[in-house]
C-alpha cells in the first residue's frame, strides 16, 4: 500500500478550491499517466447525484429480494414493483455529477476505453459516456419473463401511474424504518402484465443472487484485456462480478487504483487506494491525465 505516502504536506498539490488533494492522488496520476484505462464503477459514483449507496458506510441494512421470490409470490411481485416504481422516479429525476462528467471527458480524450458499471441508474449514459457495460442491467428497460418482449421503463411507469392514480395522494407512501420509501397499501398496487402474452414483467436488472449475463461479463473482460490499468471508483467490490474483474486485471499484472470512501475488498491488491469521494477525485484525474 502506497496511499499513505503522498501526503499533502509533502507534495503540496492543492485541490480544486485550494482544499488539500486527497492522499494518493499524485501516486495515482503517476501510475495511470500514459496508460489506457478501464474503469469499473459502483454505487459510490452516484451518491452525489442523490442516489443512496445501500452498501456504503452508515447506509440502511436491507435484505434484497431474490428473483425466486419475485417470480413465485404475487405479493412480492407487487411489493417489488411498488418500490421499484418509486425508485425509478428518483432515478429519472437524478442528474449526472462531476464524477460521471469526468469519465466522459477522459473517454473523449481516449484515456479510458470505456466504463464497466454495477449501477442500474443509467447516469453514465445520461452524462454522455459512449462505451458503457452495465453489468447489472439497466433500470430503463423492462422485459417479459415469459416471451422476452422488451418495454421502455418510461412506458411501463406511465402505465403504472394510470393503473394506480392514488399513488400521488399524500398518504399513499410512507418512509420505511430503513429510510427507504414504500407504498403503504401494497395489496392495492396494480402492476401491468406483458401486452403480448400476459406474462410477468421484470425490470431488466440483475437481482440479488442472480448471475451477471454471460455476454455482459465477456464484454467487460474484453475492456480489461484492451487496457493497461484498472481504475475502480465507488465500489466496495463486495459483489462477485466486481472482484472477478479485478482479479482478472491483477492476473494480467495491470496496476489497479481504487477510489472509494471506506474499505473495499480490493484494497490489498490495489497499487494505490484513495479514500475519498469519487466526484472530486475523478474530476482531479480528468484535469491531470492526458491533458
Ligand atoms: Zn410476454
Amino acid at each position: 500500500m502506497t496511499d499513505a505516502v503522498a501526503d499533502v504536506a509533502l507534495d503540496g498539490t492543492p485541490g480544486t478550491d485550494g482544499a488539500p488533494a486527497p492522499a494518493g492522488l499524485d501516486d495515482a496520476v503517476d501510475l495511470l499517466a500514459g496508460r489506457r484505462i478501464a474503469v469499473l464503477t459502483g454505487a459510490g459514483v452516484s451518491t452525489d447525484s442523490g442516489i443512496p449507496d445501500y452498501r456504503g458506510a452508515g447506509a440502511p441494512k436491507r435484505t434484497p429480494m431474490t428473483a425466486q421470490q419475485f417470480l413465485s409470490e404475487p405479493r412480492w411481485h407487487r411489493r417489488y414493483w411498488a418500490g421499484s416504481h418509486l425508485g425509478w422516479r428518483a432515478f429519472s429525476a437524478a442528474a449526472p455529477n462531476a464524477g460521471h462528467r469526468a469519465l466522459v471527458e477522459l473517454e473523449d480524450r481516449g484515456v479510458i476505453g470505456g466504463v464497466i458499471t454495477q449501477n442500474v441508474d443509467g447516469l453514465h449514459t445520461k452524462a454522455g459516456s459512449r462505451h458503457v457495460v452495465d453489468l447489472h442491467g439497466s433500470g430503463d428497460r423492462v422485459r417479459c419473463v415469459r416471451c422476452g418482449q422488451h418495454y421502455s421503463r418510461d412506458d411501463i411507469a406511465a402505465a403504472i401511474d394510470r393503473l394506480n392514480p392514488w399513488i400521488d395522494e399524500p398518504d399513499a407512501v410512507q418512509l420505511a424504518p430503513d429510510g427507504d420509501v414504500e407504498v403503504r397499501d401494497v395489496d392495492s398496487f396494480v402492476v401491468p402484465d406483458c401486452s403480448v402474452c400476459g406474462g410477468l414483467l421484470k425490470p431488466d436488472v440483475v437481482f440479488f443472487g442472480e448471475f451477471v449475463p454471460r455476454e455482459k461479463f465477456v464484454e467487460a473482460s474484453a475492456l480489461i484485456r484492451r487496457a493497461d490499468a484498472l481504475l475502480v471508483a465507488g465500489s466496495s467490490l463486495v459483489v462477485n462480478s466486481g472482484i472477478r474483474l479485478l482479479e482478472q486485471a491483477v492476473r494480467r499484472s495491470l496496476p489497479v487504483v481504487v477510489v472509494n470512501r471506506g474499505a473495499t475488498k480490493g484494497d490489498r491488491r490495489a497499487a494505490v487506494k484513495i479514500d475519498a469521494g469519487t466526484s472530486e477525485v475523478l474530476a482531479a484525474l480528468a484535469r491531470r491525465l492526458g491533458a
Side-chain angles (χ1 to χ4, degrees):
M1 288 265 294
T2 52
D3 62 325
V5 178
D7 189 80
V8 64
L10 300 175
D11 70 20
T13 310
T16 355
D17 41 10
L25 182 63
D26 285 347
D27 290 351
V29 170
D30 288 347
L31 199 72
L32 296 174
R35 291 179 191 262
R36 189 165 172 84
I37 306 163
V39 183
L40 170 64
T41 71
V45 296
S46 292
T47 48
D48 283 346
S49 294
I51 295 172
D53 174 1
Y54 289 119
R55 290 201 173 82
K61 299 268 180 292
R62 290 171 59 81
T63 314
M65 190 178 300
T66 63
Q68 199 57 38
Q69 289 170 319
F70 177 87
L71 295 173
S72 59
E73 286 275 345
R75 191 160 198 279
W76 282 93
H77 183 244
R78 280 197 298 273
R79 208 186 101 193
Y80 180 90
W81 264 109
S84 178
H85 182 61
L86 297 174
W88 172 248
R89 288 177 162 189
F91 276 13
S92 48
N97 62 54
H100 298 107
R101 288 192 297 273
L103 293 177
V104 176
E105 230 180 287
L106 288 166
E107 185 179 9
D108 286 347
R109 283 192 237 130
V111 175
I112 67 172
V115 179
I116 304 160
T117 188
Q118 298 168 332
N119 300 340
V120 299
D121 54 35
L123 286 177
H124 286 300
T125 303
K126 221 187 237 185
S129 287
R130 291 183 304 275
H131 190 170
V132 179
V133 183
D134 48 5
L135 279 182
H136 294 167
S138 181
D140 65 0
R141 292 188 304 263
V142 173
R143 196 172 49 80
C144 170
V145 298
R146 192 192 288 163
C147 76
Q149 176 73 29
H150 279 260
Y151 296 87
S152 100
R153 180 58 170 259
D154 285 335
D155 291 348
I156 298 300
I160 288 177
D161 284 337
R162 271 198 308 277
L163 291 165
N164 304 274
W166 51 272
I167 204 165
D168 282 318
E169 288 166 16
D171 290 342
V173 297
Q174 62 185 348
L175 201 61
D178 63 6
D180 202 12
V181 179
E182 280 182 357
V183 170
R184 196 181 289 272
D185 185 8
V186 172
D187 288 322
S188 305
F189 191 78
V190 183
V191 184
D193 295 327
C194 174
S195 58
V196 177
C197 77
L200 283 186
L201 297 184
K202 178 178 176 290
D204 207 0
V205 300
V206 172
F207 273 48
F208 182 72
E210 275 189 316
F211 290 108
V212 168
R214 194 184 137 69
E215 69 275 11
K216 294 271 179 177
F217 199 80
V218 167
E219 208 185 325
S221 300
L223 241 170
I224 289 181
R225 255 199 321 278
R226 289 194 298 271
D228 315 308
L230 175 66
L231 170 62
V232 180
S235 173
S236 47
L237 292 168
V238 292
V239 180
N240 188 36
S241 54
I243 205 77
R244 274 172 62 203
L245 290 168
L246 178 132
E247 279 163 1
Q248 207 171 90
V250 169
R251 269 201 306 278
R252 295 196 51 239
S253 307
L254 303 193
V256 176
V257 172
V258 174
V259 182
N260 192 59
R261 271 194 218 285
T264 84
K265 277 179 86 180
D267 289 356
R268 276 187 308 114
R269 280 166 285 187
V272 177
K273 162 74 189 293
I274 303 179
D275 200 320
T278 53
S279 303
E280 57 168 320
V281 174
L282 294 176
L285 288 175
R287 281 195 302 276
R288 293 176 62 185
L289 289 175

